[in-house]
Amino acid sequence: MERFFEELKNRRFVVPRCEECGKHIFPPRVFCPFCGSERLEWGEVSGRGTLYAYTTNKGGLHFREQTVGIVELEEGFRILSLIGRPLEELRIGQPVKLEFIEVETLEGKVTLHKFTPIPSQPQDSV
Amino acid sequence: MVKNRPFLGTEVFLLKVAIVGGSLTEIKSRLDADAFTLSLRVIREALRDANLEAKDIDGILTTPPGYFTDPSDMDRFAPQRMGEYLYTNAKAQAMIDMGGMTSLAAVKYGAYEIMQGRCRTVLIYASEKYVSREKWNPQRHTYLIHLVNGIYGPHDRRYGVMRAAVYYAMAAQRYMYEYKVSREEIAHVPVVLRENASMNPKAQYREPITVEDVLNSRPVCPPLNLLDCCPVSEGGAAVILADEKTARNLGKDDCYIVGIGEAHDPTSFFPVYQSVTEIPSLRRATREALRHAGMSLRDIDVAEVYGPFSGTELMVYEEMGFYERGEAAKAVAEGRTKINGDTPINPSGGRLSFGHPPYVTPLAEIYEIVAQLRGEAGKRQVEDAEAGLVHAEHGMMNGNMVMIVKRR
């Protein structure tokens, strides 16, 4: 997990990917939970995904009130993240894109990932 | 008559396990006794219920002393201390920890000791106390913040999550979305549980509520409101197990553990790869317990299940097989889970209204089921209850244990 947060500081969202079965692995591990292989390669992911679920985290550590959600990434895993819009503007399945945010925490300043809905394209008339 | 069955597919003949005694404090947000005093109180009452003396106890099993207890009360030597205090010469002592299913895991350990004939009697006890407001100083505050926050794992803890409701709310949202269940339908769960709790003098919340009360209660994590969530609770409970011969000699051979199932999913909180609206380990654990008991779900007259939030409570009913997926809310609204319904579930008031001291909860569930099977449940008695089911989980339904108890 350390490397994941280190790379976030450089605004890079990286996770290990199994070179045997091709799956992206989260949280990071030293071997692939699906096929057991130790041949893992860390690499950047697309940062594209859809909103799986969302709610408000009240009384959290770094924010008094913050929208959080679970994002389902194109690479096939889910992750808890901050969501950059109020609840009313969100819906399940909405496409989201990756951003970064610096936050003051008990462990000092850290960079976190954050996802924001991609505005839907204006509908072309057929 | 309870029959012995091959255990877990083996042909090994094992002894039968009776529940010979139990006790439970009232459940409240604050109790005016420390954890050790609460434990002693329930142990003495359970011994009295079982017609036993402390010196007769062969096994002492317990949980860590409370989830968010004051660090100074965090006695890592709890079972040793209790063995010394009771002055027993036990053949088994242990402190077990497996999240919310901890005390049920302890009962399972105790049941195995009895089945194998190593111990004749095993005491399982737990008490839950939270750090007091007076002691909540900044230094300890930091310690507790790390303790609470750390539950959610090395990644999520960075996001500052301090309550399980965040995750359970998102699970409820998915459940509503996938099965087209409305917010109003889910609100029937707290209402029915409160109605049951109103008949339970030990329950934490007993004032009847309406669907409107649930919908108008303070939003905690949308879509969950305050009345959809379990409260913070303190309490204590103890259960004593014995083999059949001992149980008969005590005149306490009315309830037997006849089935145990346990299963875990490869998840520790919100699932990264699996669906959050399905709980495969609960299905596995239920099937295993029923197979072990030689019973089907239809044979279960009353169940105490572990649903810490209204939405999850419905998923539990469905995953265990009481209802089809997406159908449980309707069944609850129709009154089918009420005490006089066709599938009475959580007559105690459940986690939402009975209260939820996590380490105590599984023992409190056993206490309720034994009261039901003995016909001692008073106003909330399920008529002719012969077989009961107890369920506990850890994390966010990441692992599940099911135990079936039957009247002789």
Side-chain angles (χ1 to χ4, degrees):
Chain A
M1 211 67 245
E2 227 164 277
R3 175 160 177 190
F4 178 80
F5 284 112
E6 269 312 301
E7 298 269 14
L8 278 186
K9 278 188 196 159
N10 308 321
R11 309 208 149 221
R12 275 164 48 84
F13 187 106
V14 297
V15 299
R17 179 173 173 270
C18 176
E19 293 198 321
E20 300 276 344
C21 73
K23 291 215 170 75
H24 287 80
I25 295 160
F26 191 85
R29 298 164 168 87
V30 295
F31 60 87
C32 173
F34 303 105
C35 73
S37 168
E38 289 176 21
R39 288 181 50 221
L40 306 183
E41 191 63 51
W42 284 72
E44 227 166 328
V45 298
S46 67
R48 283 188 303 269
T50 53
L51 198 51
Y52 182 77
Y54 52 89
T55 188
T56 307
N57 180 21
K58 274 191 216 168
L61 275 189
H62 329 312
F63 311 96
R64 261 187 62 209
E65 196 168 323
Q66 167 70 42
T67 309
V68 295
I70 302 286
V71 171
E72 197 154 44
L73 284 140
E74 273 185 5
E75 285 78 9
F77 64 93
R78 284 187 217 118
I79 191 167
L80 176 87
S81 192
L82 307 174
I83 305 295
R85 279 279 176 275
L87 237 49
E88 307 77 61
E89 294 177 31
L90 303 176
R91 59 181 170 76
I92 287 176
Q94 207 166 18
V96 288
K97 65 174 189 335
L98 174 67
E99 291 172 1
F100 298 92
I101 180 177
E102 287 199 336
V103 177
E104 202 59 55
T105 72
L106 286 174
E107 291 145 306
K109 191 180 268 183
V110 298
T111 306
L112 300 178
H113 50 79
K114 172 181 173 175
F115 285 83
T116 303
I118 301 168
S120 53
Q121 302 293 319
Q123 200 113 61
D124 288 333
S125 53
V126 180
Chain B
M1 196 59 190
V2 177
K3 281 220 292 274
N4 268 310
R5 297 196 159 262
F7 184 58
L8 302 182
T10 70
E11 297 301 321
V12 179
F13 193 81
L14 295 151
L15 299 181
K16 295 200 288 181
V17 183
I19 302 174
V20 294
S23 71
L24 173 68
T25 64
E26 358 167 45
I27 304 301
K28 284 184 164 178
S29 56
R30 286 280 172 194
L31 286 170
D32 56 355
D34 60 41
F36 193 78
T37 309
L38 280 180
S39 297
L40 273 182
R41 199 184 290 167
V42 288
I43 289 170
R44 287 165 69 84
E45 277 174 33
L47 286 169
R48 209 171 302 136
D49 182 40
N51 302 325
L52 279 167
E53 287 174 45
K55 65 172 174 53
D56 302 323
I57 292 297
D58 286 343
I60 301 175
L61 305 175
T62 190
T63 72
Y67 238 101
F68 306 119
T69 199
D70 188 90
S72 62
D73 294 336
M74 202 69 92
D75 190 353
R76 308 308 301 182
F77 278 44
Q80 297 93 306
R81 218 78 74 193
M82 194 53 81
E84 180 184 46
Y85 197 100
L86 299 174
Y87 221 61
T88 50
N89 289 288
K91 299 169 78 179
Q93 281 183 180
M95 179 195 281
I96 292 169
D97 199 356
M98 193 58 216
M101 70 158 63
T102 293
S103 58
L104 200 55
V107 171
K108 182 183 172 195
Y109 178 3
Y112 282 29
E113 287 288 320
I114 306 266
M115 279 182 199
Q116 293 178 347
R118 273 203 76 247
C119 294
R120 287 166 304 122
T121 56
V122 176
L123 161 73
I124 303 101
Y125 72 94
S127 56
E128 187 87 41
K129 285 288 294 180
Y130 284 76
V131 60
S132 67
R133 276 187 199 87
E134 306 80 68
K135 280 188 177 174
W136 185 267
N137 69 34
Q139 225 183 329
R140 287 187 163 119
H141 196 86
T142 312
Y143 168 87
L144 284 160
I145 281 174
H146 285 296
L147 189 71
V148 178
N149 188 225
I151 291 175
Y152 309 113
H155 173 266
D156 291 14
R157 63 187 298 266
R158 284 280 172 107
Y159 285 77
V161 177
M162 290 293 283
R163 47 172 60 159
V166 170
Y167 297 97
Y168 281 99
M170 292 193 281
Q173 183 191 40
R174 285 301 301 190
Y175 175 75
M176 289 163 64
Y177 172 80
E178 289 175 28
Y179 299 105
K180 311 255 178 305
V181 176
S182 73
R183 182 55 268 242
E184 287 73 14
E185 285 177 292
I186 291 179
H188 286 276
V189 173
V191 175
V192 169
L193 292 176
R194 184 61 66 87
E195 189 182 313
N196 293 350
S198 73
M199 294 176 272
N200 186 352
K202 290 187 173 176
Q204 187 172 348
Y205 292 103
R206 301 191 290 258
E207 277 296 302
I209 52 171
T210 63
V211 167
E212 287 67 39
D213 291 335
V214 178
L215 296 176
N216 295 329
S217 60
R218 176 167 62 80
V220 173
C221 294
L224 298 181
N225 293 346
L226 187 68
L227 291 175
D228 292 298
C229 305
C230 63
V232 169
S233 314
E234 294 188 348
V239 163
I240 300 175
L241 309 178
D243 64 87
E244 188 181 19
K245 195 173 151 207
T246 307
R248 253 197 232 137
N249 290 341
L250 297 169
K252 285 286 178 181
D253 60 335
D254 42 9
C255 293
Y256 283 86
I257 295 173
V258 294
I260 300 174
E262 176 178 354
H264 304 266
D265 292 314
T267 55
S268 71
F269 228 84
F270 204 98
V272 174
Y273 298 101
Q274 301 185 344
S275 163
V276 75
T277 57
E278 289 171 28
I279 319 165
S281 60
L282 177 52
R283 192 152 287 229
R284 281 159 58 207
T286 310
R287 280 192 192 145
E288 185 191 352
L290 288 168
R291 193 175 61 236
H292 178 194
M295 295 167 86
S296 81
L297 204 58
R298 279 188 302 278
D299 301 321
I300 301 297
D301 300 310
V302 55
E304 276 286 318
V305 310
Y306 199 116
F309 296 89
S310 56
T312 301
E313 175 112 1
L314 294 170
M315 285 184 242
V316 168
Y317 295 177
E318 291 167 10
E319 199 68 62
M320 289 185 120
F322 284 110
Y323 306 106
E324 295 296 315
R325 278 193 208 284
E327 301 288 321
K330 219 164 288 159
V332 173
E334 287 166 1
R336 292 180 61 189
T337 58
K338 288 185 181 183
I339 286 156
N340 57 5
D342 58 1
T343 46
I345 308 179
N346 283 340
S348 68
R351 295 340 106 207
L352 301 192
S353 282
F354 169 77
H356 183 32
Y359 278 137
V360 174
T361 288
L363 299 183
E365 291 180 3
I366 291 178
Y367 181 88
E368 175 68 21
I369 291 299
V370 167
Q372 292 284 349
L373 301 184
R374 285 178 177 177
E376 294 171 356
K379 280 190 200 164
R380 58 184 198 289
Q381 181 65 47
V382 172
E383 214 177 320
D384 294 329
E386 281 190 3
L389 179 151
V390 173
H391 160 241
E393 56 88 47
H394 65 78
M396 185 190 181
M397 299 288 147
N398 307 97
N400 289 271
M401 194 181 280
V402 171
M403 201 169 276
I404 294 168
V405 184
K406 200 166 180 286
R407 195 168 73 192
R408 178 170 53 94

